[in-house]
Amino acid sequence: MNEEQRLQAGLIKGKQADKDYSKYFEAVYTPPSLKEAKKRGKEEIEYHNDFQIEERFLGMGTNHKFHIRTFGCQMNEHDTEVIAGILTGLGYESTDNVKEANVILLNTCAIRENAENRVFGELGHLKPLKLENPDLLIGVCGCMSQEESVVNKILKTYDQVDMIFGTHNIHRIPNILHEAYMSKEMVIEVWSKEGDIIENLPKVRHGNIKAWVNIMYGCDKFCTYCIVPYTRGKERSRRPEDIIQEVRHLAANGYKEIMLLGQNVNAYGKDFDDIEYRLGDLMDDLRKIDIPRIRFTTSHPRDFDDHLIQVLAKGGNLLDHIHLPVQSGSSDILKIMARKYSREQFLELVSKIKKAIPTVTLTTDIIVGFPNETDEQFEETLSLYKEVGFEMAYTYIYSPREGTPAAKMIDNIPMEVKKERLQRLNELVNGMSAEAMKPYKGKTVKVLVEGESKRNPEVLAGYTEKNKLVNFRAPREMIGKIVNVKIIEAKTWSLDGEFIGVVEKEKVTL
Ligand code: SAH
Ligand code: SF4
Ligand code: F3S
């Protein structure tokens, strides 16, 4: 594209943009559409288990390096593992040093405005690298690339970007890169509709102790504040046999802990029309696999059924820690959030879970300052938090997301009030975490050792079954093992302990 065309397309800062950019591009140009992403069609989700890198692309990355920066949730991090897998398959080598990379990818998150701002900031930092090395390819992928407004902003303001591809287009990376090398124009490929299920994608996993396993993709809940159903498409579950095989394979390769992933894992299996098989059934099958620990995230209270509770109560490698986002303690706010449960229903679910699994630890997510939230309604969140006895929470100030129903509501809580509420909530969260830690003093816990502590390389760190961070001194050979640690000191967010010895029988007896 020449200067004249760029000007006409509004791609030069300060000029009026012509909305139809496509005519200026010969290369791939499939922009996102939130309107399309909102539709939930009846079309069958296509299932492919024959992913292969086309022969013509093999060796594309020889002598080249890639660097990926990940901004989002665990699913986003797991996507990074798949992207790294494909790039490695193309012959690229990974590097931690952004300056020596030939391909830089930002795997982005759209959940809140500040997550997006971090990405735009990072793009600004990358500009000098691009000026130094015009052959460098910079790509934006992940949830932000599914948003029209983001793609338009990048087109207008960030001409250092060479490619934008969506969450449903990861398997297309070889083609997208090829296009980017050939055309030298910004390549945009973002499919807005559903996305298929593609098995056999290569992965370069982060570490060899804990592994993420997707069990489903997408979300159909459409909570009014949330962008995820638009950026991740329709709920679609992986076939049980594929998941079981992946977990078996990981167990055989020595992994100690599996985190099953989905935006709403309790909806697992709802989309199968040939089998009656839900999350409870999957957990019941997975618990028989010879692997010490299995967790899942995130579960939506609405679909948390009795069968699942019964199966979790069997224990073994199914851990007694459940992350159960509540978002608010006020039934009225829950209603306008479209969470589809009331405070009372949530409390009822919690008491059912506690009855079946008396040792359970519950953690949650909470949003403060949702439109119209009164002081009394916020107090209800605090009282619910205490009543449940949550041991940890991720807490957020409400952030309007363009295209969601809540963004049309008046964001009428002043920022000062939102911040004050967040602070009060966080004080409660910290206090209750500290309380929950106290009884550990003097007890012996099982810790999966992950590596050196972040603060002191002479100290090792790992997590208990209930996901409490434990620091202790022990030989480095203990990394990757499950060990007994006697707790000496309980802090607000971590425990300090004394190494006792390796747990001989890591595997659980059923
Ligand atoms: N699927 C998960 C949530 C994924 S997003 C669930 O429903 O439990 C992680 C958390 O981000 C949410 O639980 C919510 O607390 C928060 N969040 C989502 N959208 C938000 C927004 N617009 N503003 C502030 N926080 C938000
Ligand atoms: Fe977002 Fe709600 Fe879906 Fe969670 S369940 S991803 S909060 S729409
Ligand atoms: Fe963010 Fe997308 Fe995850 S919006 S929280 S990266 S699903």
Side-chain angles (χ1 to χ4, degrees), residues 111-112 225-226 263 298-300 325 327 339 365-367 396-399 401:
I111 203 83
R112 283 168 291 274
Y225 50 81
C226 184
Q263 281 303 343
T298 301
S299 45
H300 188 292
Q327 313 299 357
R339 289 291 288 183
D365 291 354
I366 292 173
I367 297 176
Y396 308 103
I397 286 180
Y398 166 67
S399 168
R401 308 315 295 134

Side-chain angles (χ1 to χ4, degrees), residues 359-375:
T359 60
V360 76
T361 285
L362 295 168
T363 55
T364 197
D365 291 354
I366 292 173
I367 297 176
V368 301
F370 194 75
N372 301 309
E373 185 188 61
T374 62
D375 282 338

Side-chain angles (χ1 to χ4, degrees), residues 111 218-229 235 263-264 298 300 325 327 337-339 367:
I111 203 83
C219 181
D220 288 348
K221 280 281 182 283
F222 287 101
C223 302
T224 53
Y225 50 81
C226 184
I227 195 75
V228 171
E235 280 175 0
Q263 281 303 343
N264 169 13
T298 301
H300 188 292
Q327 313 299 357
M337 285 177 163
R339 289 291 288 183
I367 297 176

